Amino acid sequence: MNETSTDQRTAGEDSVARTYEVVIVGAGFAGLEAAKRLGRAGVDVLLLDQNNYHQFQPLLYQVATAQIALSTVARPLRSILHRERKHVTIRTARVVAINAAKKTVTTADGVRYRAEILVISSGAEPNFFDTPGAEEHAYPLYSVDDAARLSSALLGALERASANHDHSTNQNFTVAVVGAGPNGVETAGAIAENIRDVVGKYYSHSFASSCAVHLVDMVDTVLPPFSQTSQQYTRNRLEKLGVKVHLGSAVSEVSDTDISLADGTKIDAEIVVWAAGLKASQLLEPAGLTTGRGGRIDVAKDLTAPECQGVYVLGDAANIVDAKDRKLPQLGSVAKQSGRWAAENIRADLTGRPRREFKFVDMGYMAMIGRGQSVAELTPRRYQVQGMPAFLGWLAVHAGLLSGWQQRAAAVVSWARDYLTTSRPHAVIYRPEAYEIARYARTDDSSTV
């Protein structure tokens, strides 16, 4: 390890542990790809993340709906980077401050690291858009912890409603999903399928018929990035699954019993899933970087921060444009490609070569609607595929993107079982406190349980 300073401590100041050639904040798609490429090239890297694992965010909704196990989407960082361990140091620590000008990073334990080149890929967090009650009562779905909480809460609310239904109180189990983008559509479809195929099997058909899923968004269509043909197909499939779609009216308030829409509609909801959008980590603005849309950094075409030399911003922390100056969406494919490209530019910086402008390879969009049903629009020409062919393509792409052969094998086995049966062996309580809140929170009718 090329350490230019070790264990330098000054009384009254945060310690400066070491200076590395590259410090990467965040082990998401972008940060992990950059660390891999740089480690293989022999560059000394420090990778910082508050978790000791990399999470595969596109499949979190399947963890929440018991289609796959939590271990399928979370793989330890040291397992992923074991071949690069000579050059990549991993520290599990929460970053509390970044100084972009000085290229330093401070962690919650008071240790400060300095970089010759700093990479900020600090990810994002749910954007509740200051909606009253949303942060307190809604369940976001952006991290493994979010998926575990939502999964347990769904089980708790389901158990509570079932018990009350058995006592002839006609208690319904209702879920509202806020946000009709890919994450919201996939989550709503998966929950609706569970109600149709699993609740009736393990509880009762009369109870299942009283359950409902609502999909809500202020925009006037589902899957805004897709074509009108794909949007209409998706809405039709969702409604066939029993999802009640409410578009064109924003959520004005969320409570522990319902959500209110701007048009005056009120929807009863045992569980509210928030898939309405993300904003960049709150670390960015205090770091001395000018933020743009979504609190993200408008990076230069070579992926560097305009104000600071030697600072790269990637993934959900960055607003990245393509060759035609169009802002790219916050997708895993963009993050992975930006991480690889930044690694090559960093190697150019370290060897005195010029950087290259980022060129994104657009493979298109995909979204799962339910068992055997997906939509895909492939390549920049947006070739449209629907139904079973798109479903199989979605499975193949996501299996290939998972990190590790064990995770891929586990996902394929789970998908095969899910397609052939209606069992849910992964329906376990990950977070007992979330289960208890959803199971017993309301006391108005708890005596009937």
Side-chain angles (χ1 to χ4, degrees), residues 203-236:
Y203 291 84
S204 71
H205 290 291
S206 64
F207 173 55
S209 65
S210 73
C211 301
V213 179
H214 298 262
L215 181 64
V216 181
D217 204 315
M218 65 181 296
V219 301
D220 59 2
T221 183
V222 298
L223 298 180
F226 288 70
S227 68
Q228 288 185 357
T229 301
S230 295
Q231 291 167 354
Q232 188 59 52
Y233 179 86
T234 299
R235 179 164 184 169
N236 290 342

Side-chain angles (χ1 to χ4, degrees), residues 63 68-76 144 402-403 406-407 410 426 430:
V63 174
I68 59 176
L70 190 148
S71 59
T72 305
V73 301
R75 186 183 176 196
V144 166
L402 279 166
S403 176
Q406 289 180 327
Q407 284 71 24
H426 304 302
Y430 295 113

Side-chain angles (χ1 to χ4, degrees), residues 188-262:
I191 295 174
E193 272 197 335
N194 275 0
I195 291 172
R196 184 191 67 182
D197 299 331
V198 182
V199 172
K201 176 181 178 180
Y202 290 107
Y203 291 84
S204 71
H205 290 291
S206 64
F207 173 55
S209 65
S210 73
C211 301
V213 179
H214 298 262
L215 181 64
V216 181
D217 204 315
M218 65 181 296
V219 301
D220 59 2
T221 183
V222 298
L223 298 180
F226 288 70
S227 68
Q228 288 185 357
T229 301
S230 295
Q231 291 167 354
Q232 188 59 52
Y233 179 86
T234 299
R235 179 164 184 169
N236 290 342
R237 295 305 306 178
L238 287 172
E239 291 176 341
K240 189 172 182 179
L241 283 171
V243 178
K244 300 176 182 179
V245 181
H246 309 261
L247 301 174
S249 185
V251 175
S252 59
E253 187 175 0
V254 178
S255 76
D256 63 344
T257 60
D258 54 46
I259 63 173
S260 300
L261 305 186

